[in-house]
Amino acid sequence: MPIVLDRRIPVPALLDPSVFVVHRASGAESPVDCATLAPADEAEERRTILLVGEFASDGDSPVGVEIVGTLLTDEGVDAKGALVETVVPLAAGPSIVLAEHYLMSELPTGSTDKCPADTDHIIKTTWEGGVSGPGGTDLDESHRLGTTVEYASGEVRVATLLADAFDNDNHVEFCMSAPGEPAAITAGSGLYEDPNGDLNVLHTQVVINASR
């Protein structure tokens, strides 16, 4: 079960699973057997923690995750006490939970730049979990054309290229060639599939400026 934090977690990618507790609808608590940043452990990622364990049974689904031990962020802030209260039902399709705008000159140190040389800025999307095309296929031209970016000017564009899209994690980068201030990104219905085989519905996520 992946959880997405609002701050990045430093390596090591393997984390102490006892730091996390999963709360169930019945009030019961489930321990976590394994916690890792992998595969979303590149420099500009490291927000998504994958939790492994027995978190649900018939009629008793998970409703939240609590950080009960020390978990330091890149800034040295201890996330202990934080509660993730949104648990996406298994049958729900994937959606974007975070969209960040980076100028090429502002990419975090150590990040992997996979966009063309003429890229002005990148919109890095974080999904609730790993995404692919329908049937587990690679993301392709239909995803580039079916995912639109609206700018503060009112202009709507599509990316020149999708990057960081084939490494089985929950991040997809949209390489944008012309300058502008992106405001929102919209993923067309039925384009993206999660590991459970569920397709996304049409949805829009606000784009934030990662440098602010």
Side-chain angles (χ1 to χ4, degrees):
M1 179 172 68
I3 59 171
V4 179
L5 305 181
D6 60 359
R7 296 174 184 265
R8 292 184 177 87
I9 304 299
V11 290
L14 286 176
L15 304 171
D16 180 359
S18 68
V19 166
F20 308 92
V21 168
V22 176
H23 296 283
R24 297 194 187 190
S26 66
E29 296 181 350
S30 295
V32 174
D33 296 331
C34 178
T36 178
L37 290 170
D41 52 6
E42 295 180 15
E44 74 278 21
E45 298 175 344
R46 298 183 290 109
R47 295 179 185 272
T48 305
I49 301 174
L50 181 62
L51 307 179
V52 179
E54 295 292 333
F55 303 140
S57 58
D58 290 342
D60 193 14
S61 58
V63 295
V65 178
E66 185 176 2
I67 299 174
V68 296
T70 297
L71 181 66
L72 297 180
T73 68
D74 275 3
E75 299 84 2
V77 176
D78 191 352
K80 182 178 180 179
L83 183 63
V84 179
E85 297 181 285
T86 302
V87 176
V88 179
L90 188 61
S95 62
I96 301 169
V97 295
L98 180 67
E100 299 173 286
H101 166 215
Y102 290 96
L103 292 176
M104 291 297 288
S105 60
E106 297 174 341
L107 287 173
T109 301
S111 62
T112 304
D113 173 20
K114 304 179 181 71
C115 288
D118 63 350
T119 300
D120 177 79
H121 59 279
I122 293 172
I123 298 171
K124 188 173 191 69
T125 59
T126 302
W127 296 70
E128 289 154 336
V131 289
S132 66
T137 57
D138 286 342
L139 302 187
D140 57 23
E141 191 73 351
S142 66
H143 300 87
R144 184 182 74 84
L145 297 176
T147 306
T148 57
V149 179
E150 182 178 354
Y151 283 75
S153 64
E155 182 183 5
V156 176
R157 308 178 195 166
V158 296
T160 54
L161 185 75
L162 303 188
D164 196 22
F166 313 107
D167 56 358
N168 297 315
D169 68 15
N170 63 323
H171 295 274
V172 181
E173 294 177 356
F174 295 81
C175 310
M176 314 301 293
S177 59
E181 186 67 29
I185 184 167
T186 298
S189 179
L191 292 175
Y192 298 88
E193 182 178 287
D194 65 18
N196 194 46
D198 301 306
L199 295 173
N200 74 293
V201 298
L202 176 72
H203 67 282
T204 298
Q205 177 66 40
V206 172
V207 177
I208 64 171
N209 191 322
S211 65
R212 294 176 183 170

